[in-house]
């Protein structure tokens, strides 16, 4: 699915790692750690630009729906939400950055302190929908400031009031189908205007959806700017801090490990299957968890192979994969084969959710017994993701990298 181009960058003698490549004494082109970092920043900027572009299209669809709350316009907004999940989920690999941002005071100039802190407002999950309902049925003016103030209210992480999952809930409503087929079924009449509202809260629902979507675009605008070419040379930005950090590669490999073996294998896939609870799935209102987890895995691959591909961007450069291959071809081959094997199962989960006939979404997989075809595929994917811990630990030792602390507020 991905074209893995290993393009060697310009030589930087101070930071390059030179290795022998054969019995004749010849040497392979050096793999520069600075080139790996530069390519990663380019990849991050592309992913966040795409996330911003799709969120802006989502905002346009939401604005149209609010102006004319028909079922067709609601469906169009849902389609835009799904499209926005594709680039954003690939950007989540970048969130485990506290190891390189803590104590750096990056917000001193008014910018962002960390990706992980920022993501608590953009993608926090799981979400207690009752908190949003209470805001809508309250009396405070609904605007972006109120949503920010209410996000995580009462020190309860489930009191999510902002971000993509708040938008998701507003578009779909609660999914009452359990592990049976079907997502949330919020009707367009929940947002009816022109005096046709069936209760007292249609206008406030519209205000909430509009505020949440506008805030999402604002947040992504800010993050995309943090990774721009100009930001890379500006002290105090996330990209400049990444490029200047001696722990940048430690963070990259640690992020790959954390997203694969913890977030995906445990929180986003394993918990639901183990507990049999569809509330544990990532996009539980829309039943688009198959999209979310598949593109989370693409983010893992992107970070390893140094690639990011979309309709708008094609990034390919020097990568961790190149560095590992240059030091230990056997270990690289093991990791390469493992990533490809996991891709087969993750793609099968994605395709099951996308089929037009005999569709099986992730909440239905949760409801399958041990012999269910898709459940066996999902469990195989989980086992293989967990098994990555071994070779990734070997890569950490091979490259003399530190184990990172992935504690943070996002999810």
């Amino acid at each position: 699915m991905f074209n893995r181009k290993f393009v060697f960058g310009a030589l930087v003698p101070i930071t390059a790692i030179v290795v022998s490549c054969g019995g004749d004494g010849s040497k392979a082109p050096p793999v520069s750690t600075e080139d790996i970092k530069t390519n990663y920043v380019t990849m991050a900027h592309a992913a966040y630009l795409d996330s911003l572009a799709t969120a802006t299209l989502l905002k346009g669809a939401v604005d149209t729906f609010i102006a004319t709350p028909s079922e067709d316009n609601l469906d169009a907004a849902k389609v835009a939400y799904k499209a926005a999940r594709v680039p954003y989920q690939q950007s989540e690999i970048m969130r485990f950055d506290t190891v390189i941002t803590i104590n750096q005071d990056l917000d001193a100039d008014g910018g962002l302190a960390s990706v992980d802190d920022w993501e608590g407002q953009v993608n926090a999950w799981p979400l207690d929908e009752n908190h949003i309902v209470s805001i809508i049925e309250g009396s405070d003016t609904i605007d972006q400031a109120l949503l920010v103030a209410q996000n995580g209210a009462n020190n309860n992480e489930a009191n999510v009031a902002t971000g993509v999952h708040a938008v998701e809930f507003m578009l779909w409503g609660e999914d009452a189908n359990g592990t049976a087929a079907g997502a949330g079924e919020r009707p367009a009449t929940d947002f009816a205007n022109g005096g046709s509202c069936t209760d007292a809260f249609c206008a406030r629902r519209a205000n909430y959806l509009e505020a949440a979507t506008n805030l999402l675009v604002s947040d992504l605008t800010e993050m995309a700017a943090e990774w721009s070419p100009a930001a890379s040379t500006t002290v105090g930005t996330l990209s400049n801090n990444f490029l200047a950090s001696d722990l940048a590669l430690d963070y990259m490999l640690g992020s790959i490990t954390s997203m694969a073996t913890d977030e995906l294998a445990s929180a986003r896939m394993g918990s639901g299957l183990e507990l049999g609870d569809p509330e544990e799935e990532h996009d539980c209102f829309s039943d688009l968890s198959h999209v979310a987890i598949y593109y989370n895995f693409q983010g893992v691959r992107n970070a390893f192979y140094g690639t990011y591909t979309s309709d708008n961007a094609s990034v390919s450069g020097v990568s961790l994969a190149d560095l590992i291959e240059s030091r230990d071809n056997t270990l690289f081959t093991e990791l390469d084969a493992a990533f490809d094997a996991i891709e087969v199962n993750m793609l099968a989960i994605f395709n099951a959710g996308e089929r037009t006939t005999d569709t099986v979404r992730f909440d239905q997989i949760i409801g399958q017994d041990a012999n269910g075809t898709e459940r066996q595929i999902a469990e195989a994917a989980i086992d293989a993701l967990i098994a990555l811990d071994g070779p990734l630990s070997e890569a950490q030792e091979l490259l003399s990298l530190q184990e990172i602390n992935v504690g943070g507020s996002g999810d």
Side-chain angles (χ1 to χ4, degrees), residues 146-321:
L146 177 65
L147 269 56
V148 171
Q150 286 294 319
N151 197 45
N154 303 317
N155 293 317
N156 185 345
E157 291 183 355
N159 283 342
V160 176
T162 65
V164 291
H165 294 296
V167 174
E168 179 195 8
F169 172 65
M170 293 308 299
L171 292 176
W172 273 270
E174 183 179 0
D175 181 0
N177 297 297
T179 58
E185 299 175 353
R186 186 189 294 281
T189 51
D190 269 8
F191 299 85
N193 53 30
S196 57
C197 184
T198 56
D199 62 24
F201 304 112
C202 288
R204 289 180 65 82
R205 290 190 192 97
N207 290 341
Y208 197 108
L209 177 57
E210 181 179 35
T213 309
N214 288 345
L215 180 60
L216 180 61
V217 170
S218 176
D219 286 337
L220 285 166
T221 299
E222 190 175 19
M223 182 55 79
E226 289 279 331
W227 295 91
S228 68
S232 293
T233 58
T234 303
V235 175
T237 65
L238 294 176
S239 56
N240 182 267
N241 181 72
F242 172 83
L243 291 170
S245 175
D246 293 334
L247 296 175
L249 266 61
D250 311 62
Y251 152 70
M252 290 174 63
L253 187 61
S255 296
I256 290 169
T257 303
S258 296
M259 179 57 79
T261 66
D262 184 18
E263 287 289 325
L264 271 174
S266 178
R268 305 188 182 203
M269 296 176 68
S271 291
L273 293 174
E274 181 178 349
L275 298 174
D277 184 0
E279 291 294 316
E280 294 290 321
E281 67 163 330
H282 202 215
D283 289 47
C284 66
F285 306 114
S286 61
D287 281 356
L288 292 176
S289 297
H290 65 288
V291 176
I293 60 178
Y294 178 73
Y295 284 101
N296 268 157
F297 181 63
Q298 298 315 304
V300 171
R301 290 174 62 95
N302 294 349
F304 182 73
Y305 293 110
T307 61
Y308 174 79
T309 305
S310 71
D311 291 340
N312 303 314
S314 180
V315 178
S316 181
V318 186
S319 66
L320 279 174

Side-chain angles (χ1 to χ4, degrees), residues 1-2 4 86 89-93 256 259-261 264-265 268-269 289-305 307 335-347 349 381 384-385 388 392:
M1 183 141 192
F2 282 86
R4 299 196 291 265
V86 173
Q89 292 304 97
Q90 293 178 78
S91 78
E92 272 206 277
I93 190 68
I256 290 169
M259 179 57 79
T261 66
L264 271 174
R268 305 188 182 203
M269 296 176 68
S289 297
H290 65 288
V291 176
I293 60 178
Y294 178 73
Y295 284 101
N296 268 157
F297 181 63
Q298 298 315 304
V300 171
R301 290 174 62 95
N302 294 349
F304 182 73
Y305 293 110
T307 61
L335 281 164
D336 189 50
F339 281 127
D340 284 348
I342 296 168
E343 168 71 13
V344 171
N345 285 327
M346 295 296 281
L347 183 60
I349 295 169
L385 285 164
L388 280 174
L392 289 174

Side-chain angles (χ1 to χ4, degrees), residues 2 5 16 31 33-34 38 81 94 105 119 143 145 152 185 207 214 226 258 265 279 284 299 302 315 369 371 378:
F2 282 86
K5 301 176 185 175
V31 178
T33 58
E34 293 306 308
T38 298
Y81 172 89
M94 300 155 197
D105 298 322
E119 216 193 28
D143 55 19
E185 299 175 353
N207 290 341
N214 288 345
E226 289 279 331
S258 296
E279 291 294 316
C284 66
N302 294 349
V315 178
D369 62 29
N371 296 318

